[in-house]
Amino acid sequence: MHLPKDEMVPCYHCGRAIYFTAAECSHCGSREPGGPDVFSRKEIRQRVIEARHDHTLAMTTLACGASGILYGSLKSGILVALAYGLFGLAAGVLIGLAIVITTWAIGSEPRDYHAHEEDG
């Protein structure tokens, strides 16, 4: 029985022939022998939105945790401050998720700053 051979393609970096399924080039060692990933405008927009949501969630969580520690340290000792800090972290996650879900439900999208550069 004859098995089909893997297709050979040129490495993006050195140009030498490698197997299409290769994870890295055996000649130059490139870990992206197929070249860098190319994303469509829709995929790029989605990645920007996801990055903004991740940032919102992280900053809200950290701010609430820091506020809890500050409040607890002003009220009592370090153990109370840590307890308020943990409570703040938990509350921050919930508040951050509420913000992300609300912006997703409203359908707000990031501004396309490059479009404004082309107009001017």
Side-chain angles (χ1 to χ4, degrees), residues 4-5 13 24 35 51-52 56 62 65 79-80 85 95 98 110 113-114:
K5 292 184 178 180
H13 297 281
E24 70 179 43
R52 187 179 64 189
T56 300
L62 290 175
L79 290 177
V80 174
I95 293 168
Y113 294 106
H114 299 292

Side-chain angles (χ1 to χ4, degrees), residues 2-43:
H2 179 68
L3 296 174
K5 292 184 178 180
D6 284 338
E7 182 180 349
M8 299 291 280
V9 295
C11 172
Y12 179 79
H13 297 281
C14 70
R16 297 174 80 183
I18 58 169
Y19 288 109
F20 176 74
T21 57
E24 70 179 43
C25 179
S26 57
H27 305 290
C28 69
S30 171
R31 294 188 185 244
E32 290 185 343
D37 292 332
V38 179
F39 300 109
S40 69
R41 289 180 68 107
K42 184 177 181 181
E43 290 171 325

